[in-house]
């Protein structure tokens, strides 16, 4: 049996598909993942892994093209606090985790959300898995928030985009963290991206034009959404640096923020491959450091 791992999976929208590749790389290299902490997309992927359904989720994700991604968008016409209800997405994903309680999962699992009124993190470590994930992915003004026990819960990435802290009490050999907000480095060529004209937002615009519902108000809403998302990304890049400094993992996998836009959910294959490659590189570097320490102690 290989080294035991506590795995932290960060937030970052569609870049979160890289978490699947990271998990596959760790398992192939003989590392045993015994606990998972996730935020937003990290909570989603981590939840599927903890429930034993990551392969089924991967198979589904690889079939999602840009048009299918658009069909999963259920706009909220009521003043509910978010542009998208999110019900349609969870109807598709429900069969993968069903009615599961976190405390009954085969491995330890934590989903991190943010309590807006209490201005603090909420760690879901027991209770309904579906509710925990739904709260953790509720991006402010995008997905409608979750109301639970008098609290208004939104995306955990608001306060903790890379939740390493919930893993520090584990008794595993290593903490591995997958950061989806890494600042791009010219030394690492990111996965190829669509040009702006082929982005999901641009395709949404063309689709709405064909439907005859594209107007100045709709254009302004999309622009505001893109600006808001960039603001969130900048905040998360900064907060992640502090989280890593406060709770340095044994292995840090950096996924460049430039590798994929937050809403490009049709890029599962590329991001899974990138996560797999960069995790293997990070493991190689870790194992090389261990080999060098062994040599120097002889």
């Amino acid at each position: 049996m290989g080294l035991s791992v506590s795995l932290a999976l960060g937030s970052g929208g569609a870049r979160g598909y890289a978490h699947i590749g990271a998990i596959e790389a760790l398992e192939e290299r003989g590392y045993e993942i015994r606990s998972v902490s996730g935020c937003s997309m990290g909570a989603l992927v981590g939840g599927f892994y903890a429930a034993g359904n990551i392969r089924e989720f991967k198979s589904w994700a690889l079939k999602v093209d840009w048009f299918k991604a658009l069909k999963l968008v259920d706009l909220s016409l009521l003043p509910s606090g978010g542009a998208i209800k999110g019900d349609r997405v969870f109807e598709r994903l429900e069969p993968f985790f069903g009615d599961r309680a976190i405390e009954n999962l085969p491995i330890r699992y934590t989903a991190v959300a943010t309590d807006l009124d209490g201005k603090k993190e909420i760690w879901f470590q027991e209770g309904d898995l579906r509710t925990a994930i739904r709260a953790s992915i509720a991006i402010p003004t995008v997905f409608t928030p979750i109301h639970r026990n008098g609290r208004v819960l939104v995306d955990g990435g608001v306060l903790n985009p890379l939740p390493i802290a919930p893993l520090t009490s584990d008794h595993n050999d290593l903490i591995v963290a997958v950061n989806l907000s890494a600042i791009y480095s010219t030394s690492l060529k990111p996965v190829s991206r669509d040009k702006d004209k082929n982005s999901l937002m641009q395709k949404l615009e063309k689709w709405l034009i064909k439907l005859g519902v594209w107007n100045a108000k709709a254009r302004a809403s999309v622009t505001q959404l893109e600006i808001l998302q960039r603001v969130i990304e900048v905040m998360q890049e900064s907060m992640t640096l502090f989280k890593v400094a406060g709770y340095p993992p044994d292995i840090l996998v950096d996924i460049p923020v430039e590798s994929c836009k937050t809403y490009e959910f049709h890029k599962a294959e590329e991001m899974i491959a990138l996560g797999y490659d960069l995790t293997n590189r990070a493991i190689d570097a870790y194992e090389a450091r261990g080999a060098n320490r062994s040599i120097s102690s002889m």
Side-chain angles (χ1 to χ4, degrees), residues 176-201:
V176 178
V178 184
N179 168 30
L180 303 182
S181 302
I183 299 172
Y184 173 64
S185 169
T186 55
S187 64
L188 177 63
K189 183 179 180 181
V191 68
S192 60
R193 315 176 60 185
D194 290 341
K195 299 296 183 182
D196 285 344
K197 64 184 178 65
N198 293 321
S199 71
L200 189 60
M201 288 293 185

Side-chain angles (χ1 to χ4, degrees), residues 165-176:
L167 305 174
T168 55
S169 61
D170 291 348
H171 298 288
N172 293 321
D173 297 316
L174 302 174
I175 292 179
V176 178

Side-chain angles (χ1 to χ4, degrees), residues 15 139 141-142 180-184 193 201 222-238 256-263:
R15 290 189 301 280
I139 303 172
T141 76
V142 178
L180 303 182
S181 302
I183 299 172
Y184 173 64
R193 315 176 60 185
M201 288 293 185
V222 171
T223 300
Q224 290 172 1
L225 186 61
E226 290 180 321
I227 292 173
L228 173 63
Q229 187 53 48
R230 186 53 191 146
V231 168
I232 291 174
E233 286 180 348
V234 170
M235 290 169 50
Q236 290 184 341
E237 288 170 13
S238 178
V257 72
E258 291 296 321
S259 62
C260 175
K261 291 183 178 179
T262 301
Y263 302 112

Side-chain angles (χ1 to χ4, degrees), residues 132-168:
I133 295 174
R134 179 65 181 82
S136 186
I137 69 167
I139 303 172
T141 76
V142 178
F143 287 104
T144 54
I146 290 292
H147 296 267
R148 184 173 183 267
N149 299 330
R151 296 169 171 167
V152 180
L153 303 179
V154 297
D155 192 330
V158 171
L159 291 178
N160 191 352
L162 187 58
I164 302 172
L167 305 174
T168 55

